[in-house]
Amino acid sequence: QKEVEQNSGPLSVPEGAIASLNCTYSDRVSQSFFWYRQYSGKSPELIMSIYSNGDKEDGRFTAQLNKASQYVSLLIRDSQPSDSATYLCAVNKPNAGKSTFGDGTTLTVKP
Amino acid sequence: DAGVIQSPRHEVTEMGQEVTLRCKPISGHNSLFWYRQTMMRGLELLIYFNNNVPIDDSGMPEDRFSAKMPNASFSTLKIQPSEPRDSAVYFCASRRSLAGGPHEQFFGPGTRLTVL
C-alpha cells in the first residue's frame, strides 16, 4: 500500500462544474497536508495547505481534511479550462523534514 | 524575491558522460530537496538537506548519483556516469523549516535531462 494514494484519473468535468479530487494516506500520525498543481511541462505549485480537520477555503478552492478517515480532498468550484492540470497531494508526518507525494490526479475541464 | 533557480533548464548528453545539475534555493530557506519526475514513477524524492547537511538520501538510486550543498545558497546533483534510464525532469525545491512550522515547499522550474 502506498503511503499517499490518489485516483490517477483522468478526471474530466465540464466548465463551471465542481471538480472533486481525493487523497488518502496510510499513516495516522500525519499532520500536514498540501495540494500542488502542476501544469504540463511545469513545476508543482502549492495551491492549498491544511492542518486541522474541517474545511479551508481560498477563492474557488476548498480543502477538506478528515483525520479519522485519513483522507484529504480538494474541491474546485466553477471549474475553468485553466484548471486543467495534474493535482498532487502531499503529506507530512510530525517532525518529518520531507513530504510524501501521491502520484497525482489529472484534471481536464472541458469548455 | 526570486524563486528557486535551477540550471541548466535542458541537458542532452550521451551515455557515460557526467552530468551536473545546479540549484539556488530561495534566500532564507534552510531546507533543500532534489526530486526526479518521470511518467512511470511519478515524483520521487532523491535527497534532502537541512541547514546544508544531508538528512535523508535513501531515494538516491545508486552510487552514480551524488549531491552536495557547500553553502546555504547552492546545491548540486551529479550523475556519473549517466545512463539513458536517468532521463527525467529533476526538480529542486526549498523551504523555510521551523520547529512545528509549515512545510510548504517551493519548486524550481526543473532541469529536463535526456541521456542518449
Side-chain angles (χ1 to χ4, degrees), chain A:
Chain A
Q1 181 187 10
K2 290 184 178 180
E3 286 190 56
V4 179
E5 297 212 48
Q6 299 180 248
N7 292 330
S8 61
L11 174 66
S12 181
V13 300
E15 184 174 356
I18 296 175
S20 178
L21 305 164
N22 299 312
C23 171
T24 58
Y25 57 94
S26 60
D27 196 329
R28 188 169 292 276
V29 304
S30 298
Q31 185 178 56
S32 309
F33 307 87
F34 309 92
W35 285 100
Y36 291 81
R37 178 179 61 201
Q38 186 175 23
Y39 292 116
S40 180
K42 301 295 185 182
S43 58
E45 170 194 17
L46 179 73
I47 54 172
M48 290 287 284
S49 58
I50 187 166
Y51 305 96
S52 304
N53 274 331
D55 295 359
K56 179 181 179 182
E57 187 174 317
D58 184 1
R60 295 185 297 111
F61 298 94
T62 299
Q64 299 176 318
L65 174 60
N66 184 324
K67 290 187 176 181
S69 300
Q70 295 176 232
Y71 83 78
V72 56
S73 62
L74 179 70
L75 301 179
I76 307 175
R77 291 183 301 280
D78 188 24
S79 295
Q80 301 297 310
S82 58
D83 296 325
S84 298
T86 296
Y87 290 80
L88 300 167
C89 173
V91 174
N92 271 67
K93 300 173 190 177
N95 302 317
K98 62 182 181 181
S99 298
T100 301
F101 283 81
D103 289 337
T105 298
T106 299
L107 171 68
T108 300
V109 181
K110 295 186 175 181

